[in-house]
Short mmCIF file of all heavy atoms in Angstrom, two decimals:
data_model
loop_
_atom_site.label_atom_id
_atom_site.label_comp_id
_atom_site.label_asym_id
_atom_site.label_seq_id
_atom_site.Cartn_x
_atom_site.Cartn_y
_atom_site.Cartn_z
N GLY M 488 -3.47 -22.14 33.49
CA GLY M 488 -4.57 -23.03 33.39
C GLY M 488 -5.71 -22.64 32.49
O GLY M 488 -6.73 -23.37 32.46
N VAL M 489 -5.58 -21.59 31.69
CA VAL M 489 -6.69 -21.14 30.82
C VAL M 489 -6.28 -21.44 29.34
O VAL M 489 -5.18 -21.05 28.88
CB VAL M 489 -6.96 -19.67 31.01
CG1 VAL M 489 -7.85 -19.16 29.89
CG2 VAL M 489 -7.60 -19.45 32.39
N ASN M 490 -7.20 -22.05 28.62
CA ASN M 490 -7.03 -22.31 27.20
C ASN M 490 -7.85 -21.33 26.36
O ASN M 490 -9.05 -21.17 26.63
CB ASN M 490 -7.40 -23.74 26.86
CG ASN M 490 -6.46 -24.78 27.43
OD1 ASN M 490 -5.28 -24.82 27.01
ND2 ASN M 490 -6.90 -25.51 28.42
N VAL M 491 -7.20 -20.74 25.41
CA VAL M 491 -7.86 -19.80 24.49
C VAL M 491 -8.04 -20.45 23.14
O VAL M 491 -7.01 -20.95 22.56
CB VAL M 491 -7.07 -18.48 24.31
CG1 VAL M 491 -7.82 -17.56 23.34
CG2 VAL M 491 -6.90 -17.80 25.70
N LYS M 492 -9.25 -20.55 22.67
CA LYS M 492 -9.45 -21.17 21.35
C LYS M 492 -9.30 -20.11 20.28
O LYS M 492 -10.02 -19.04 20.35
CB LYS M 492 -10.88 -21.80 21.27
CG LYS M 492 -11.13 -22.51 19.96
CD LYS M 492 -12.51 -23.11 19.94
CE LYS M 492 -12.81 -23.70 18.61
NZ LYS M 492 -14.25 -24.26 18.54
N ILE M 493 -8.51 -20.34 19.30
CA ILE M 493 -8.23 -19.34 18.21
C ILE M 493 -8.90 -19.86 16.92
O ILE M 493 -8.68 -21.01 16.50
CB ILE M 493 -6.71 -19.17 17.98
CG1 ILE M 493 -6.02 -18.78 19.32
CG2 ILE M 493 -6.46 -18.06 16.94
CD1 ILE M 493 -4.53 -18.78 19.22
N GLU M 494 -9.60 -18.99 16.31
CA GLU M 494 -10.26 -19.28 15.04
C GLU M 494 -9.75 -18.32 13.98
O GLU M 494 -9.82 -17.11 14.13
CB GLU M 494 -11.76 -19.10 15.16
CG GLU M 494 -12.61 -19.41 13.94
CD GLU M 494 -14.09 -19.17 14.14
OE1 GLU M 494 -14.59 -19.29 15.28
OE2 GLU M 494 -14.80 -18.85 13.11
N GLY M 495 -9.12 -18.85 12.90
CA GLY M 495 -8.58 -18.06 11.86
C GLY M 495 -7.09 -17.84 12.01
O GLY M 495 -6.41 -18.40 12.92
N ASP M 496 -6.59 -17.00 11.15
CA ASP M 496 -5.07 -16.77 11.02
C ASP M 496 -4.70 -15.53 11.89
O ASP M 496 -5.33 -14.49 11.77
CB ASP M 496 -4.76 -16.50 9.60
CG ASP M 496 -3.26 -16.41 9.35
OD1 ASP M 496 -2.49 -16.34 10.37
OD2 ASP M 496 -2.85 -16.36 8.18
N MET M 497 -3.70 -15.70 12.75
CA MET M 497 -3.23 -14.57 13.56
C MET M 497 -2.82 -13.42 12.72
O MET M 497 -2.78 -12.25 13.24
CB MET M 497 -2.09 -15.02 14.51
CG MET M 497 -2.52 -15.95 15.61
SD MET M 497 -3.28 -15.12 17.04
CE MET M 497 -1.79 -14.62 17.92
N ASP M 498 -2.36 -13.64 11.50
CA ASP M 498 -1.92 -12.54 10.63
C ASP M 498 -3.12 -11.96 9.86
O ASP M 498 -2.92 -11.08 8.98
CB ASP M 498 -0.91 -13.01 9.68
CG ASP M 498 0.44 -13.25 10.38
OD1 ASP M 498 0.77 -12.54 11.31
OD2 ASP M 498 1.13 -14.27 10.02
N GLY M 499 -4.36 -12.45 10.08
CA GLY M 499 -5.46 -11.95 9.40
C GLY M 499 -6.42 -11.27 10.39
O GLY M 499 -6.09 -10.32 11.06
N ARG M 500 -7.69 -11.77 10.43
CA ARG M 500 -8.69 -11.30 11.33
C ARG M 500 -9.19 -12.39 12.24
O ARG M 500 -10.27 -12.97 12.05
CB ARG M 500 -9.85 -10.69 10.55
CG ARG M 500 -9.47 -9.43 9.74
CD ARG M 500 -10.60 -9.01 8.82
NE ARG M 500 -11.88 -8.83 9.48
CZ ARG M 500 -13.04 -8.54 8.90
NH1 ARG M 500 -13.06 -8.46 7.60
NH2 ARG M 500 -14.12 -8.38 9.62
#
Side-chain angles (χ1 to χ4, degrees):
V489 168
N490 291 293
V491 178
K492 182 181 177 183
I493 306 170
E494 181 183 329
D496 186 351
M497 288 281 276
D498 290 322
R500 294 172 53 186

